[in-house]
Amino acid sequence: RRSTLLQILLCQNRITGDEEMTKTLTHEMIHAFDDCRADLDWTDCVHHACTEIRASNVSRECRWFEEFKRLQIHGVNGQKACVRRRAELSVGMNPFCNKPGQARLAVEAAWETCYGDTAPFENCP
C-alpha cells in the first residue's frame, strides 16, 4: 500500500553543486514519474530495474564526462555500460533483489524495453 506522503529528499551535505543537484533531482523525478504511470511494484526486481535504467539514462549521470570523473572508461559503449552498472547496483541494494546475480538478470530482462524509453522527454535531455 502506498504512503499518502510521497517526497524526494535531497541531502545538502551530499550534493556538491547545481549540476549534480539537477542530475539527482531528474533521476528521482523519473522514479516518481514511473511510479505514477506504471504503478511500480518495488518488490518486483524487473520493475525496479526498468526505472533505474530509465533514471540513469535520462538524468545524464552516465554521460562520458561523468564516467571519466568516476574513472570509468568504456569506449564507444560507455553510456550503456554505465547505465547497466548503475542499475545493477541500485537493484542489488533492494532487499527483494539481492541474491547473487538477481540484479543482473533483472536489468537484462528490462533492458530492451526500458533503455530506449525516455518519457516524459522525447529523447534524453
Side-chain angles (χ1 to χ4, degrees):
R1 184 173 174 108
R2 283 194 189 172
S3 167
T4 57
L5 178 63
L6 300 176
Q7 56 187 315
I8 295 172
L9 298 175
L10 299 176
C11 298
Q12 165 182 349
N13 63 328
R14 301 284 308 250
I15 296 178
T16 58
D18 290 346
E19 187 177 334
E20 185 176 358
M21 183 181 67
T22 299
K23 281 185 282 211
T24 301
L25 192 53
T26 303
H27 180 108
E28 297 307 325
M29 290 295 292
I30 292 297
H31 291 321
F33 178 84
D34 287 351
D35 201 42
C36 289
R37 80 167 176 166
D39 195 27
L40 288 179
D41 176 357
W42 290 91
T43 66
D44 182 311
C45 302
V46 176
H47 281 206
H48 189 172
C50 185
T51 194
E52 291 298 346
I53 290 166
R54 286 180 21 74
S56 289
N57 192 33
V58 174
S59 69
R60 303 181 61 86
E61 68 190 44
C62 282
R63 298 300 187 252
W64 76 268
F65 188 67
E66 299 305 316
E67 282 291 84
F68 179 76
K69 289 190 292 188
R70 293 182 197 111
L71 302 176
Q72 296 284 332
I73 309 298
H74 300 288
V76 296
N77 291 319
Q79 170 82 10
K80 288 181 178 180
C82 172
V83 169
R84 280 183 191 275
R85 185 183 78 251
R86 293 178 69 83
E88 285 180 25
L89 286 170
S90 291
V91 173
M93 289 188 270
N94 181 333
F96 295 97
C97 308
N98 63 5
K99 292 183 182 104
Q102 192 173 10
R104 183 184 55 76
L105 291 173
V107 169
E108 190 59 40
W111 187 263
E112 196 67 35
T113 301
C114 302
Y115 183 77
D117 181 358
T118 60
F121 306 104
E122 287 185 29
N123 53 41
C124 288

